Amino acid sequence: MLEILASGNHHITHLPSPSNDSKPISNKPNHLQILKKCTHLIQFKQAHAQIIKTPLHQSDTYLSKIIEGVVGFSDLIYARQVFDQITEPSTFAFNTMIRGYGTNDLGPEGIDLYIRMRHRGLIPDNFTYPFLLKACSGLKQGKGVHSLVVKDKRFSSEIHSLTSLMTFYCSFGDVGSARLLFDRMPQRNVVTWTGIIAGYVKQKRYKDGIELFNQMKNNGVEINELTLVSVLSASANLGALEIGQWVHEYIDQKRILLNPKLGAALIDMYAKCGHIDKAYQVFGTIPCKGVYVWNAMIGGLAMHGYGNEAIERFQEMQQNGIMPDRVTFIVVLSACSHSGLVEKGKEILLSMRKDFGIEPNIKHYGCFVDILCRAGLLNEAYEVIINMPMEPNAVLWGTLLNACAAAANVELAEAAMQRLMVLEPFNDGNYVLISNIYAATERWNDVGRVRKILKDRKISRNPGHSLIQVDNVVHEFMVGDGRHPCSEQIYGMLEKVAIIIKEWSL
DNA sequence: TTAGGGTTAG
């Protein structure tokens, strides 16, 4: 095993004998270098098993290095076993374990270890808070770490700890607190700026994200591919094609490699901004098409109504050796839904567990219900909702209610509304829909009853709105909005478009 | 040994 891993000057013959070897680690580079060369966990464990037989390698420093290696392979159980062998773990060893827990969604274990570290009288260093805050991601009890950082004068102005703190607030959606921290930071770099932009984007505050990106550019801060992924996501969701195109040109100019995540973001941006042809073009240029890239492309085709093409790409990705994931099935099922492919959708849903070992979740069932609803199969959709293996949520009942509005099906609409009044009691859209269904069937008493509920529960009706970007400015319109300076021309054009559509549909 | 990224059902 070690022979395979050792290369050049570092050969197996350099292994220390198991006894009487008390030279310091630094004089024995082979073992650590051999471990570094391991590309798979199994290799690493085998190499470790060989080396650990020597007394030298039971030193805390060495074991800490082992933990670091194993944490890199995400085997936290093995890492913990090694950690527990250390009689006097150093701050480095604690840091490494906390980092491992934090990056593997085992935050509470990381926090627990930090407490143990302090009980042992160890002082945190500049790495501890970033790792600990990562472990606290999404956990409100992590707010206590904020005061720890503030009190620790060594790090209360230190960029890594503060950026981690900012990201921690973003992790449970408190972008307001994150922004306060950001504004007060003595130093900011590309990571800090990207972190706050990503925070806004995750909260769907796309305009704020773009605004900060503009500020970042004006401040002359370096921009990298991580920044651009968030900016592309914001422009995609705003339909801000010009910003997205600027990013694309920047990528080309700076010769930034289209890694799978950046490539997927670019495809998604073009697809959401209406340019499926450009999305396809970008798709063709990405050298390593990971599952993200395929998902973005299939999702783009789905939203443009190219169901059969989406399914072809789904098959092609498998021929290319890429395993579909949960998201792939969501976008493929959504392709079936937008193209009326009922049987295909059913077949794909059934194949998830059977052929791919992926258990369908509520989103997959949601897509299938949508397939049935859009095909007008409302009774079948209702049957799926009440018989699926998990508790239906508001999205499922909302899908059915929407479909009932299109078909004026009062009976099923009432069944859906009954649940929605519990699940989403303040969603004005649902009340509007049921009221419209009653109106369409001339049930005026029921229309009045719904209006009274809206009034009694003080539910305000939230008007729909749409966004469009022209010449780098995003314009927002509400229903019946007349505030825009070009309102008259816009409505004039809208009427013309409506006439054209009517002519087409005749 | 540090901090930041995407896609996903009404």
Side-chain angles (χ1 to χ4, degrees), chain A residues 188-207:
Chain A
R188 299 182 196 113
N189 61 15
V190 57
V191 182
T192 324
W193 280 93
T194 304
I196 191 75
I197 292 171
Y200 276 115
V201 171
K202 275 188 211 142
Q203 285 304 300
K204 302 188 192 293
R205 289 176 60 176
Y206 306 116
K207 280 172 93 170

Side-chain angles (χ1 to χ4, degrees), chain A residues 133 145-146 149 160-170 181:
Chain A
L133 284 160
V145 183
H146 191 158
V149 174
H160 295 99
S161 296
L162 289 182
T163 303
S164 302
L165 200 51
M166 189 191 84
T167 311
F168 159 72
Y169 279 104
C170 290
L181 269 162

Side-chain angles (χ1 to χ4, degrees), chain A residues 314-492:
Chain A
F314 171 59
Q315 282 153 354
E316 198 184 319
M317 80 180 270
Q318 292 167 63
Q319 285 155 11
N320 280 278
I322 307 290
M323 266 299 280
D325 65 6
R326 286 184 167 75
V327 176
T328 316
F329 285 102
I330 291 170
V331 290
V332 172
L333 289 168
S334 137
C336 295
S337 158
H338 292 280
S339 300
L341 305 169
V342 180
E343 280 311 307
K344 192 74 194 170
K346 196 175 197 174
E347 186 191 307
I348 289 171
L349 183 74
L350 289 173
S351 81
M352 281 183 67
R353 188 186 300 123
K354 189 162 60 80
D355 303 325
F356 300 92
I358 299 175
E359 201 58 41
N361 63 29
I362 196 153
K363 290 188 180 181
H364 300 110
Y365 278 100
C367 288
F368 187 56
V369 166
D370 194 43
I371 289 174
L372 297 170
C373 283
R374 283 179 198 257
L377 303 166
L378 302 191
N379 290 319
E380 286 85 343
Y382 178 75
E383 288 299 316
V384 171
I385 295 175
I386 57 169
N387 290 315
M388 60 186 203
M390 66 284 287
E391 201 59 35
N393 63 13
V395 176
L396 270 291
W397 290 116
T399 306
L400 184 64
L401 182 64
N402 265 293
C404 290
N409 185 326
V410 178
E411 193 190 339
L412 281 180
E414 285 182 329
M417 193 62 199
Q418 199 187 346
R419 272 77 166 201
L420 283 166
M421 280 174 73
V422 178
L423 293 165
E424 284 184 335
F426 297 103
N427 184 336
D428 58 309
N430 297 332
Y431 296 92
V432 172
L433 274 174
I434 192 88
S435 171
N436 289 351
I437 296 168
Y438 285 138
T441 48
E442 297 184 343
R443 290 171 59 162
W444 306 113
N445 286 344
D446 290 319
V447 171
R449 191 168 51 84
V450 175
R451 272 203 200 127
K452 192 170 179 310
I453 296 171
L454 274 169
K455 204 177 158 191
D456 291 349
R457 293 193 180 182
K458 295 193 172 78
I459 302 164
S460 56
R461 284 173 60 180
N462 209 349
H465 66 278
S466 60
L467 300 158
I468 187 168
Q469 187 229 335
V470 182
D471 292 335
N472 258 335
V473 178
V474 176
H475 303 262
E476 193 170 355
F477 298 94
M478 316 280 269
V479 176
D481 198 341
R483 295 169 304 163
H484 195 278
C486 304
S487 193
E488 215 168 293
Q489 290 151 278
I490 293 167
Y491 278 103

